[in-house]
Amino acid sequence: FIPSRQGSVQSFGSDSTFAGGCEGEAPGGAKINEYQAAWNVTNAIQGMFIVSLPFAVLRGGYWAIIAMVGIAHICCYTGKILVQCLYEPDPQTGEPVRVRDSYVSIAKVCFGKKIGARVVSIAQIIELLMTCILYVVVCGDLMAGSFPDGALDTRSWMMLCGIFLLPLAFLKSLHHVSLLSFWCTMAHLLINAIIVGYCLLEIGDWGWSKVKWRMDFENFPISLGVIVFSYTSQIFLPTLEGNMEDRSKFNWMLDWSHIAAAAFKALFGYICFLTFQNDTQQVITNNLHSPGFKGLVNFCLVIKAVLSYPLPYFAACELLERAFFRGKPKTIFPVVWELDGELKVWGLAWRLTVILGTIMMAIFIPHFSILMGFIGSFTGTMLSFIWPCYFHLKLKGHLLDQKQRAYNYFIIFLGVLFCVVGIYDSGTALIHAFEIGLPF
């Protein structure tokens, strides 16, 4: 198994299709057990964006910690009901039979073939491209935090890091890059352990009274968006469940992976905030006091971000090429690939344009935590809250009791509330942050 998504993508091999088109099972009949599946989910919901969770506690206090646990429960529930929508009872035996195989196939039934596929694909493309932008933004934040008195500012660091992303347009396969994903994740877990260890050594100076119960209505919705974004995994769960050796253990796997994620995120955010208190920065590693130690940790995270970028980038390119570059009459543009499997010259230019577009967007919207809150409030609530519950009510509503239906409607209400308020607040914060400029 190859973990691959830091947000919403999962790859099962070098030639795999991604979230938008990941229908069917693993190539070659490859299967994974429940522990491998749990690792894949854990890799998706405990990626490098966890470094922003202490900043969420700064904004939301104890309510942010409660949200980390509550949103984990909701996302675990919506993941289960989404997979339930893949099944229909057999007319003869009554046993559940898997008749659908992806998020898109469920959306086609509920929204219609054309609209369903387009709506989900657009949401996926937005989230994937925004994830790419976030990787560039976090590179700039980390490097600027490591060299606060250097000649380069945050935007300059983003452009410099972006240079190392341009060769990705020449790659035809993610196989070699995906192999690095496992070790990137291992390195990040090691960094998390180092940060937690550092905080524990400072326990004598923890600011226990700094965590408040008072809710900051202006900034708390941004924190909610950050937390929702960190739990988004629904998009690949249908494919993951379809590739399990024993599908009956899917719910068990999902429960424990989300319990572990909720416990770690809540503790990580809490003890890091207790350590750095009101000085907590958007990326927690920038709070490390030793310049050399901070620089080493940040440099490792930058390498991880650069190596993680290809996965959502390739997924976004594949979705965009499915939508626009399949040749007439299917699409308005011709295919980007030659018959021998090589990229056409203009196809290479197209892929370079995607990379440059994400770098330029990062430069123009260089505020990591606010941008992540915006994405979580928009696509995160749709993919993780609203749509799974709507699909469940539409396909399984006649089988649900009143309590189950009420809970689904409650999650939809929460999703709409988080979406509207979060988009407004994070959008306003982005405009304000853009006006005052960068802190570096």
Side-chain angles (χ1 to χ4, degrees), residues 275-321:
T275 303
F276 303 110
Q277 302 164 40
N278 293 334
D279 294 327
T280 300
Q281 297 191 35
Q282 290 188 23
V283 180
I284 194 62
T285 53
N286 284 336
N287 280 108
L288 298 174
H289 298 308
S290 170
F293 183 49
K294 177 172 69 174
L296 177 62
V297 172
N298 281 356
F299 184 69
C300 292
L301 284 175
V302 167
I303 293 175
K304 176 176 170 55
V306 170
L307 292 175
S308 298
Y309 179 99
L311 300 156
Y313 160 72
F314 268 70
C317 284
E318 180 173 292
L319 285 172
L320 289 168
E321 287 163 14

Side-chain angles (χ1 to χ4, degrees), residues 59-64 212-221 224:
R59 294 290 181 85
Y62 282 110
W63 292 107
K212 305 295 184 182
W213 279 104
R214 185 181 69 254
M215 186 181 295
D216 183 348
F217 287 98
E218 181 179 354
N219 294 310
F220 184 57
L224 281 177

Side-chain angles (χ1 to χ4, degrees), residues 1-22:
F1 67 106
I2 303 172
S4 67
R5 185 262 182 198
Q6 303 294 337
S8 64
V9 176
Q10 191 60 30
S11 168
F12 289 99
S14 60
D15 299 316
S16 64
T17 52
F18 291 84
C22 55

Side-chain angles (χ1 to χ4, degrees), residues 149-380:
D149 300 320
L152 299 180
D153 61 7
T154 305
R155 288 186 173 94
S156 300
W157 279 116
M158 290 179 194
M159 288 188 283
L160 183 60
C161 293
I163 293 173
F164 296 96
L165 301 175
L166 296 178
L168 297 176
F170 294 88
L171 294 178
K172 296 185 294 181
S173 170
L174 275 178
H175 178 65
H176 300 296
V177 179
S178 296
L179 290 176
L180 296 172
S181 174
F182 176 79
W183 297 110
C184 287
T185 304
M186 289 292 99
H188 185 60
L189 291 176
L190 177 62
I191 292 170
N192 287 342
I194 292 172
I195 295 171
V196 171
Y198 178 90
C199 292
L200 292 175
L201 292 175
E202 302 289 325
I203 192 170
D205 298 321
W206 281 6
W208 298 96
S209 62
K210 297 294 184 179
V211 188
K212 305 295 184 182
W213 279 104
R214 185 181 69 254
M215 186 181 295
D216 183 348
F217 287 98
E218 181 179 354
N219 294 310
F220 184 57
I222 300 174
S223 298
L224 281 177
V226 171
I227 296 167
V228 171
F229 181 80
S230 73
Y231 278 111
T232 303
S233 65
Q234 278 74 4
I235 208 70
F236 69 81
L237 289 181
T239 300
L240 189 66
E241 188 261 357
N243 288 287
M244 288 182 64
E245 294 172 350
D246 185 355
R247 295 177 186 172
S248 65
K249 295 181 178 178
F250 174 80
N251 286 354
W252 175 89
M253 176 276 298
L254 207 62
D255 284 337
W256 282 106
S257 59
H258 279 75
I259 288 171
F264 181 76
K265 287 181 179 182
L267 287 172
F268 184 86
Y270 185 55
I271 67 172
C272 287
F273 176 78
L274 289 177
T275 303
F276 303 110
Q277 302 164 40
N278 293 334
D279 294 327
T280 300
Q281 297 191 35
Q282 290 188 23
V283 180
I284 194 62
T285 53
N286 284 336
N287 280 108
L288 298 174
H289 298 308
S290 170
F293 183 49
K294 177 172 69 174
L296 177 62
V297 172
N298 281 356
F299 184 69
C300 292
L301 284 175
V302 167
I303 293 175
K304 176 176 170 55
V306 170
L307 292 175
S308 298
Y309 179 99
L311 300 156
Y313 160 72
F314 268 70
C317 284
E318 180 173 292
L319 285 172
L320 289 168
E321 287 163 14
R322 282 173 179 268
F324 299 108
F325 297 96
R326 288 192 293 167
K328 296 181 178 180
K330 292 182 178 180
T331 59
I332 58 175
F333 298 110
V335 180
V336 298
W337 298 97
E338 300 281 6
L339 293 178
D340 60 358
E342 297 293 330
L343 268 173
K344 296 178 180 177
V345 174
W346 66 268
L348 177 63
W350 145 255
R351 291 202 163 197
L352 279 170
T353 301
V354 175
I355 297 174
L356 289 171
T358 60
I359 296 171
M360 294 304 296
M361 285 292 291
I363 291 169
F364 284 111
I365 315 176
H367 298 274
F368 175 68
S369 185
I370 303 174
L371 180 59
M372 186 160 58
F374 182 85
I375 302 166
S377 299
F378 182 35
T379 59

Side-chain angles (χ1 to χ4, degrees), residues 352-409:
L352 279 170
T353 301
V354 175
I355 297 174
L356 289 171
T358 60
I359 296 171
M360 294 304 296
M361 285 292 291
I363 291 169
F364 284 111
I365 315 176
H367 298 274
F368 175 68
S369 185
I370 303 174
L371 180 59
M372 186 160 58
F374 182 85
I375 302 166
S377 299
F378 182 35
T379 59
T381 53
M382 291 291 184
L383 294 167
S384 302
F385 281 57
I386 300 171
W387 288 345
C389 290
Y390 172 75
F391 296 160
H392 196 225
L393 287 167
K394 189 172 180 65
L395 296 176
K396 306 291 182 181
H398 60 287
L399 302 174
L400 304 178
D401 58 32
Q402 188 174 358
K403 183 178 178 181
Q404 290 173 311
R405 286 195 295 269
Y407 190 52
N408 280 1
Y409 281 119

